[in-house]
């Protein structure tokens, strides 16, 4: 069955760094664009970043540009989110998701574009 399993979440101080991983199985990973979303307490799920199936095209939400980096390793069926200069507003549950190759870039910011979702991993920023 299709699975997306996030890991790497935890507690980190303001200004620190954290690297999230999402291991995929049950579908042809290399044929899917991958995205990261997050949901903070009391907030709706927010777009964080996306990477095309080729790995060439990347986009980020305004709140994380310059601080977060998305990458993928097709040999390991894994997508990563490197988070630097973390701040309190980054506290959230982080989710990875998969969208079929060929999806229009303009649609990769939208939750409804993605076919598969992980269960999420908690990231908490402390002071």
């Amino acid at each position: 069955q299709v699975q997306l399993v996030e890991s790497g979440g935890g507690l980190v101080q303001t200004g620190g760094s954290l690297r999230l991983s999402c291991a995929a199985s049950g579908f042809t990973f290399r044929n899917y664009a991958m995205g990261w979303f997050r949901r903070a307490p009391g907030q709706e799920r927010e777009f964080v970043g996306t990477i095309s199936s080729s790995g060439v095209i990347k986009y980020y939400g305004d709140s994380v540009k310059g601080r977060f980096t998305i990458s993928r390793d097709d040999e390991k069926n894994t997508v990563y989110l490197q988070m630097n200069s973390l701040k309190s507003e980054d506290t959230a549950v982080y989710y990875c998701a998969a969208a079929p190759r060929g999806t229009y870039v303009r649609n990769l910011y939208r939750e409804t574009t993605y076919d598969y979702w992980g269960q999420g991993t908690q990231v908490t920023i402390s002071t």
Side-chain angles (χ1 to χ4, degrees):
Q1 63 180 17
V2 171
Q3 284 191 303
L4 293 171
V5 181
E6 300 95 336
S7 62
L11 181 66
V12 63
Q13 289 186 310
T14 298
S17 297
L18 204 61
R19 183 179 178 87
L20 305 183
S21 299
C22 174
S25 60
F27 64 99
T28 306
F29 181 80
R30 67 179 182 275
N31 290 341
Y32 282 73
M34 299 297 297
W36 285 96
F37 291 78
R38 67 186 183 185
R39 185 169 60 197
Q43 304 292 322
E44 296 204 359
R45 197 141 56 184
E46 174 191 23
F47 172 75
V48 174
T50 187
I51 183 168
S52 64
S53 59
S54 68
V56 173
I57 301 171
K58 301 176 183 179
Y59 291 105
Y60 301 93
D62 290 342
S63 63
V64 306
K65 286 179 181 176
R67 300 189 299 120
F68 290 12
T69 303
I70 191 170
S71 61
R72 65 189 295 153
D73 186 339
D74 288 350
E75 191 166 311
K76 295 182 177 181
N77 287 355
T78 300
V79 63
Y80 304 94
L81 185 68
Q82 178 67 47
M83 305 185 295
N84 299 324
S85 301
L86 287 162
K87 52 186 70 173
S88 60
E89 49 261 52
D90 294 319
T91 294
V93 176
Y94 284 72
Y95 302 86
C96 67
R101 182 179 62 192
T103 299
Y104 292 125
V105 170
R106 59 181 169 85
N107 290 328
L108 289 174
Y109 303 91
R110 295 164 22 175
E111 292 186 48
T112 54
T113 298
Y114 294 84
D115 290 346
Y116 310 127
W117 290 83
Q119 79 293 151
T121 186
Q122 176 71 49
V123 172
T124 303
I125 314 303
S126 66
T127 59

PDB file of all heavy atoms in Angstrom, residues 70 104 110:
ATOM      1  N   ILE A  70      14.243  22.187   0.255  1.00  0.00           N
ATOM      2  CA  ILE A  70      13.675  20.886  -0.051  1.00  0.00           C
ATOM      3  C   ILE A  70      14.596  20.158  -1.035  1.00  0.00           C
ATOM      4  O   ILE A  70      15.197  20.783  -1.915  1.00  0.00           O
ATOM      5  CB  ILE A  70      12.240  21.018  -0.613  1.00  0.00           C
ATOM      6  CG1 ILE A  70      11.545  19.668  -0.685  1.00  0.00           C
ATOM      7  CG2 ILE A  70      12.239  21.695  -1.980  1.00  0.00           C
ATOM      8  CD1 ILE A  70      10.053  19.781  -0.996  1.00  0.00           C
ATOM      9  N   TYR A 104       0.539  20.767 -13.108  1.00  0.00           N
ATOM     10  CA  TYR A 104       0.944  22.148 -13.360  1.00  0.00           C
ATOM     11  C   TYR A 104       1.557  22.749 -12.105  1.00  0.00           C
ATOM     12  O   TYR A 104       1.044  22.561 -10.999  1.00  0.00           O
ATOM     13  CB  TYR A 104      -0.246  22.987 -13.800  1.00  0.00           C
ATOM     14  CG  TYR A 104      -0.786  22.631 -15.156  1.00  0.00           C
ATOM     15  CD1 TYR A 104      -2.130  22.299 -15.332  1.00  0.00           C
ATOM     16  CD2 TYR A 104       0.038  22.635 -16.284  1.00  0.00           C
ATOM     17  CE1 TYR A 104      -2.627  21.980 -16.579  1.00  0.00           C
ATOM     18  CE2 TYR A 104      -0.463  22.310 -17.529  1.00  0.00           C
ATOM     19  CZ  TYR A 104      -1.799  21.984 -17.673  1.00  0.00           C
ATOM     20  OH  TYR A 104      -2.286  21.663 -18.916  1.00  0.00           O
ATOM     21  N   ARG A 110      -1.414  23.858  -3.770  1.00  0.00           N
ATOM     22  CA  ARG A 110      -2.742  23.504  -3.264  1.00  0.00           C
ATOM     23  C   ARG A 110      -2.779  22.076  -2.733  1.00  0.00           C
ATOM     24  O   ARG A 110      -2.295  21.154  -3.361  1.00  0.00           O
ATOM     25  CB  ARG A 110      -3.787  23.658  -4.371  1.00  0.00           C
ATOM     26  CG  ARG A 110      -3.951  25.087  -4.818  1.00  0.00           C
ATOM     27  CD  ARG A 110      -4.676  25.265  -6.131  1.00  0.00           C
ATOM     28  NE  ARG A 110      -5.530  24.178  -6.534  1.00  0.00           N
ATOM     29  CZ  ARG A 110      -6.315  24.200  -7.602  1.00  0.00           C
ATOM     30  NH1 ARG A 110      -6.360  25.294  -8.355  1.00  0.00           N
ATOM     31  NH2 ARG A 110      -7.050  23.149  -7.919  1.00  0.00           N
TER      32      ARG A 110
END
